[in-house]
Amino acid sequence: MAEAHAAPVPGDLYEVGQRPPFRTYIAEAWRRRGFALRHASYHLVGGLLENRLGILWIVLKPLFTAVIYGTIFGAVLASSAKPADWVPYLLTGVFTFEFFTGSFMNGSRAITGNAKLVQSLGFPRILLPVSVVIEQTIRMIPMVVLMAVLLLVFGIPASWSWLLVIPVLALMAVFNLGVALIVARMSVWLRDVQQFIPVINRVLFYGSSIFFQLDVVFADKPVILTIAHLIPTYDFIALVRGVMLESHPAPTLAVIAAPIWAISALVIGVIYFWRAEARYGLGD
């Protein structure tokens, strides 16, 4: 069914069941931004209260992932593929990728997982994917603190450059939001998308240089290396490593590509999500 643009009505309102004008939609979403923050905080607290260990699971999950995969790949990978500071290298990769994973997988359920809320209340639906990324950002705070502590434990000296991890992760949050918006709409259109997301996530997990040094493994394959350097998750992980680990400066291509990925994903995601606004909550 073709989407119809809503005709503006007095008071900057728009007709129910119609897609609002883009500027009106964004303005209304901004006006109700508190809803996204409250929804994120309630969802976070509610999820933590279901578990006895509560907030500890926020840091235990990526830590267990690092230990399990680190043990396996530590025994399998050739020593040439692993840097001398392999454990800090691994930790920064796993913890940073966890930020993307949470936004990507939960973003796909932002609308479908809140069907009753969408069908019963009137608000810009974009606030639901936004709340997902807000929740994942909040989760990153204790994870970053633990990552810093672990780096100190493994002999990485603290540096003022560590503070740059904040703008790097803020830029990554912008990218995560764009991705969450895209998969949120796609999942409404076709629920099967949610079945592919874990597969895509796993491919990105192995292709983002979390366990091995891309520059070493593909040193004699410049084309493959360039393609690998353009993987968004690799770019953001490289930036985090660049500010946390002095021995691993981020490649120039990653420094250039990361903000392009973030801005492009956000613009495409917002427009793509808004164009289906009138269809959210109409039923499956």
Side-chain angles (χ1 to χ4, degrees):
M1 181 181 296
E3 297 173 330
H5 287 275
V9 295
D12 291 330
L13 301 177
Y14 51 84
E15 298 178 26
V16 175
Q18 297 273 339
R19 186 181 72 206
F22 184 73
R23 290 186 179 180
T24 302
Y25 182 68
I26 296 301
E28 180 66 9
W30 175 254
R31 188 176 72 84
R32 300 195 182 195
R33 61 191 182 277
F35 170 83
L37 181 59
R38 288 192 297 272
H39 186 269
S41 58
Y42 292 158
H43 189 270
L44 174 62
V45 173
L48 295 177
L49 290 177
E50 295 176 355
N51 303 302
R52 290 183 180 275
L53 294 181
I55 194 173
L56 286 178
W57 279 115
I58 293 179
V59 295
L60 286 177
K61 183 172 178 281
L63 188 59
F64 286 157
T65 300
V67 171
I68 294 172
Y69 282 96
T71 301
I72 296 173
F73 282 89
V76 173
L77 288 177
S79 58
S80 60
K82 298 182 294 185
D85 53 350
W86 187 64
V87 173
Y89 187 89
L90 172 67
L91 290 171
T92 50
V94 170
F95 277 63
T96 305
F97 191 83
E98 185 69 20
F99 188 23
F100 170 78
T101 295
S103 301
F104 186 37
M105 301 188 73
N106 290 291
S108 69
R109 299 187 292 268
I111 302 298
T112 58
N114 292 281
K116 292 183 179 179
L117 181 63
V118 171
Q119 293 170 1
S120 60
L121 295 177
F123 61 93
R125 307 316 190 214
I126 195 174
L127 293 175
L128 292 176
V130 169
S131 73
V132 167
V133 177
I134 290 176
E135 179 185 350
Q136 297 306 315
T137 302
I138 296 173
R139 286 174 175 270
M140 276 301 293
I141 295 174
M143 289 169 58
V144 169
V145 173
L146 176 61
M147 181 172 65
V149 171
L150 290 175
L151 292 183
L152 291 172
V153 170
F154 284 99
I156 304 299
S159 169
W160 286 109
S161 66
W162 286 15
L163 295 177
L164 294 176
V165 76
I166 297 174
V168 170
L169 292 178
L171 185 66
M172 189 175 183
V174 172
F175 171 75
N176 289 350
L177 176 57
V179 172
L181 289 167
I182 293 171
V183 295
R185 174 180 167 175
M186 291 179 67
S187 296
V188 171
W189 170 64
L190 183 64
R191 289 292 183 93
D192 292 347
V193 169
Q194 295 181 3
Q195 304 302 319
F196 286 101
I197 285 178
V199 177
I200 298 171
N201 188 69
R202 189 57 54 192
V203 171
L204 292 174
F205 185 72
Y206 289 119
S208 297
S209 191
I210 293 176
F211 307 106
F212 58 91
Q213 299 182 98
L214 283 174
D215 294 342
V216 174
V217 175
F218 298 119
D220 57 344
K221 298 179 177 62
V223 175
I224 296 178
L225 184 59
T226 300
I227 294 174
H229 280 182
L230 290 174
I231 296 175
T233 46
Y234 166 82
D235 294 333
F236 290 108
I237 289 174
L239 291 183
V240 170
R241 285 193 179 123
V243 300
M244 301 291 287
L245 305 176
E246 185 179 349
S247 58
H248 298 283
T252 302
L253 187 56
V255 175
I256 297 173
I260 294 176
W261 276 119
I263 295 172
S264 299
L266 181 63
V267 171
I268 293 172
V270 169
I271 295 176
Y272 180 69
F273 187 90
W274 160 73
R275 289 181 63 83
E277 176 71 14
R279 298 207 300 263
Y280 303 135
L282 295 182
D284 300 323

mmCIF file of all heavy atoms in Angstrom, residues 265-283:
data_model
loop_
_atom_site.group_PDB
_atom_site.id
_atom_site.type_symbol
_atom_site.label_atom_id
_atom_site.label_comp_id
_atom_site.label_asym_id
_atom_site.label_seq_id
_atom_site.Cartn_x
_atom_site.Cartn_y
_atom_site.Cartn_z
ATOM 1 N N ALA A 265 24.744 6.115 8.524
ATOM 2 C CA ALA A 265 23.797 5.190 9.146
ATOM 3 C C ALA A 265 22.658 5.952 9.808
ATOM 4 O O ALA A 265 21.484 5.549 9.717
ATOM 5 C CB ALA A 265 24.515 4.314 10.169
ATOM 6 N N LEU A 266 22.983 7.064 10.483
ATOM 7 C CA LEU A 266 21.947 7.836 11.165
ATOM 8 C C LEU A 266 20.970 8.456 10.175
ATOM 9 O O LEU A 266 19.746 8.354 10.338
ATOM 10 C CB LEU A 266 22.588 8.929 12.016
ATOM 11 C CG LEU A 266 21.592 9.796 12.803
ATOM 12 C CD1 LEU A 266 20.836 8.954 13.815
ATOM 13 C CD2 LEU A 266 22.307 10.948 13.494
ATOM 14 N N VAL A 267 21.486 9.095 9.137
ATOM 15 C CA VAL A 267 20.617 9.755 8.156
ATOM 16 C C VAL A 267 19.725 8.727 7.456
ATOM 17 O O VAL A 267 18.508 8.903 7.349
ATOM 18 C CB VAL A 267 21.459 10.533 7.119
ATOM 19 C CG1 VAL A 267 20.574 11.032 5.984
ATOM 20 C CG2 VAL A 267 22.179 11.701 7.788
ATOM 21 N N ILE A 268 20.336 7.656 6.984
ATOM 22 C CA ILE A 268 19.567 6.620 6.291
ATOM 23 C C ILE A 268 18.565 5.975 7.240
ATOM 24 O O ILE A 268 17.396 5.750 6.886
ATOM 25 C CB ILE A 268 20.509 5.549 5.704
ATOM 26 C CG1 ILE A 268 21.363 6.160 4.591
ATOM 27 C CG2 ILE A 268 19.712 4.359 5.167
ATOM 28 C CD1 ILE A 268 22.456 5.240 4.082
ATOM 29 N N GLY A 269 19.015 5.690 8.466
ATOM 30 C CA GLY A 269 18.150 5.037 9.429
ATOM 31 C C GLY A 269 16.941 5.874 9.807
ATOM 32 O O GLY A 269 15.817 5.372 9.857
ATOM 33 N N VAL A 270 17.145 7.154 10.073
ATOM 34 C CA VAL A 270 16.043 8.030 10.469
ATOM 35 C C VAL A 270 15.011 8.145 9.340
ATOM 36 O O VAL A 270 13.804 8.006 9.564
ATOM 37 C CB VAL A 270 16.572 9.426 10.859
ATOM 38 C CG1 VAL A 270 15.414 10.414 11.010
ATOM 39 C CG2 VAL A 270 17.357 9.349 12.163
ATOM 40 N N ILE A 271 15.479 8.398 8.131
ATOM 41 C CA ILE A 271 14.552 8.552 6.999
ATOM 42 C C ILE A 271 13.837 7.237 6.698
ATOM 43 O O ILE A 271 12.613 7.210 6.482
ATOM 44 C CB ILE A 271 15.309 9.061 5.755
ATOM 45 C CG1 ILE A 271 15.841 10.477 6.014
ATOM 46 C CG2 ILE A 271 14.396 9.048 4.521
ATOM 47 C CD1 ILE A 271 16.690 11.030 4.886
ATOM 48 N N TYR A 272 14.591 6.158 6.689
ATOM 49 C CA TYR A 272 14.011 4.842 6.390
ATOM 50 C C TYR A 272 12.965 4.468 7.432
ATOM 51 O O TYR A 272 11.878 3.957 7.100
ATOM 52 C CB TYR A 272 15.136 3.802 6.364
ATOM 53 C CG TYR A 272 14.694 2.390 6.070
ATOM 54 C CD1 TYR A 272 14.213 2.032 4.816
ATOM 55 C CD2 TYR A 272 14.773 1.406 7.057
ATOM 56 C CE1 TYR A 272 13.818 0.728 4.552
ATOM 57 C CE2 TYR A 272 14.388 0.098 6.797
ATOM 58 C CZ TYR A 272 13.915 -0.239 5.546
ATOM 59 O OH TYR A 272 13.527 -1.536 5.291
ATOM 60 N N PHE A 273 13.234 4.727 8.694
ATOM 61 C CA PHE A 273 12.293 4.401 9.760
ATOM 62 C C PHE A 273 11.058 5.296 9.694
ATOM 63 O O PHE A 273 9.928 4.820 9.832
ATOM 64 C CB PHE A 273 12.978 4.557 11.117
ATOM 65 C CG PHE A 273 12.143 4.091 12.279
ATOM 66 C CD1 PHE A 273 12.212 2.781 12.714
ATOM 67 C CD2 PHE A 273 11.302 4.966 12.942
ATOM 68 C CE1 PHE A 273 11.452 2.347 13.789
ATOM 69 C CE2 PHE A 273 10.528 4.540 14.016
ATOM 70 C CZ PHE A 273 10.597 3.228 14.437
ATOM 71 N N TRP A 274 11.268 6.578 9.465
ATOM 72 C CA TRP A 274 10.156 7.539 9.417
ATOM 73 C C TRP A 274 9.184 7.220 8.296
ATOM 74 O O TRP A 274 7.964 7.368 8.463
ATOM 75 C CB TRP A 274 10.730 8.949 9.247
ATOM 76 C CG TRP A 274 9.749 9.954 8.725
ATOM 77 C CD1 TRP A 274 8.697 10.528 9.396
ATOM 78 C CD2 TRP A 274 9.724 10.509 7.402
ATOM 79 N NE1 TRP A 274 8.032 11.402 8.582
ATOM 80 C CE2 TRP A 274 8.644 11.415 7.350
ATOM 81 C CE3 TRP A 274 10.516 10.340 6.273
ATOM 82 C CZ2 TRP A 274 8.322 12.133 6.206
ATOM 83 C CZ3 TRP A 274 10.206 11.061 5.131
ATOM 84 C CH2 TRP A 274 9.119 11.934 5.100
ATOM 85 N N ARG A 275 9.670 6.740 7.185
ATOM 86 C CA ARG A 275 8.815 6.495 6.030
ATOM 87 C C ARG A 275 7.775 5.405 6.286
ATOM 88 O O ARG A 275 6.763 5.339 5.588
ATOM 89 C CB ARG A 275 9.661 6.133 4.803
ATOM 90 C CG ARG A 275 10.446 7.315 4.228
ATOM 91 C CD ARG A 275 11.248 6.906 3.018
ATOM 92 N NE ARG A 275 10.386 6.460 1.930
ATOM 93 C CZ ARG A 275 9.781 7.269 1.053
ATOM 94 N NH1 ARG A 275 9.956 8.579 1.159
ATOM 95 N NH2 ARG A 275 9.033 6.781 0.107
ATOM 96 N N ALA A 276 8.000 4.585 7.290
ATOM 97 C CA ALA A 276 7.012 3.531 7.635
ATOM 98 C C ALA A 276 6.267 3.849 8.921
ATOM 99 O O ALA A 276 5.586 2.988 9.465
ATOM 100 C CB ALA A 276 7.719 2.187 7.749
ATOM 101 N N GLU A 277 6.382 5.066 9.408
ATOM 102 C CA GLU A 277 5.787 5.426 10.693
ATOM 103 C C GLU A 277 4.293 5.103 10.759
ATOM 104 O O GLU A 277 3.786 4.651 11.787
ATOM 105 C CB GLU A 277 6.007 6.916 10.972
ATOM 106 C CG GLU A 277 5.359 7.446 12.243
ATOM 107 C CD GLU A 277 6.051 6.954 13.513
ATOM 108 O OE1 GLU A 277 7.156 6.431 13.411
ATOM 109 O OE2 GLU A 277 5.451 7.095 14.606
ATOM 110 N N ALA A 278 3.582 5.316 9.667
ATOM 111 C CA ALA A 278 2.132 5.109 9.673
ATOM 112 C C ALA A 278 1.755 3.634 9.790
ATOM 113 O O ALA A 278 0.610 3.314 10.107
ATOM 114 C CB ALA A 278 1.525 5.692 8.392
ATOM 115 N N ARG A 279 2.684 2.732 9.548
ATOM 116 C CA ARG A 279 2.362 1.296 9.547
ATOM 117 C C ARG A 279 2.667 0.612 10.863
ATOM 118 O O ARG A 279 2.204 -0.492 11.110
ATOM 119 C CB ARG A 279 3.145 0.581 8.431
ATOM 120 C CG ARG A 279 2.796 1.085 7.034
ATOM 121 C CD ARG A 279 3.035 -0.002 6.002
ATOM 122 N NE ARG A 279 4.413 -0.439 5.967
ATOM 123 C CZ ARG A 279 5.313 0.021 5.087
ATOM 124 N NH1 ARG A 279 4.959 0.962 4.226
ATOM 125 N NH2 ARG A 279 6.554 -0.430 5.088
ATOM 126 N N TYR A 280 3.466 1.255 11.729
ATOM 127 C CA TYR A 280 3.803 0.622 12.998
ATOM 128 C C TYR A 280 2.563 0.516 13.881
ATOM 129 O O TYR A 280 1.819 1.478 14.047
ATOM 130 C CB TYR A 280 4.885 1.417 13.739
ATOM 131 C CG TYR A 280 6.145 1.607 12.945
ATOM 132 C CD1 TYR A 280 6.768 2.847 12.883
ATOM 133 C CD2 TYR A 280 6.716 0.559 12.250
ATOM 134 C CE1 TYR A 280 7.939 3.027 12.148
ATOM 135 C CE2 TYR A 280 7.881 0.714 11.509
ATOM 136 C CZ TYR A 280 8.481 1.958 11.461
ATOM 137 O OH TYR A 280 9.620 2.122 10.733
ATOM 138 N N GLY A 281 2.335 -0.644 14.443
ATOM 139 C CA GLY A 281 1.209 -0.835 15.349
ATOM 140 C C GLY A 281 -0.093 -1.202 14.671
ATOM 141 O O GLY A 281 -1.120 -1.325 15.338
ATOM 142 N N LEU A 282 -0.059 -1.422 13.345
ATOM 143 C CA LEU A 282 -1.286 -1.788 12.637
ATOM 144 C C LEU A 282 -1.610 -3.263 12.747
ATOM 145 O O LEU A 282 -2.619 -3.734 12.259
ATOM 146 C CB LEU A 282 -1.169 -1.405 11.149
ATOM 147 C CG LEU A 282 -1.074 0.097 10.863
ATOM 148 C CD1 LEU A 282 -1.027 0.332 9.374
ATOM 149 C CD2 LEU A 282 -2.256 0.832 11.488
ATOM 150 N N GLY A 283 -0.682 -4.032 13.358
ATOM 151 C CA GLY A 283 -0.895 -5.465 13.517
ATOM 152 C C GLY A 283 -0.029 -6.243 12.562
ATOM 153 O O GLY A 283 0.479 -5.722 11.579
#
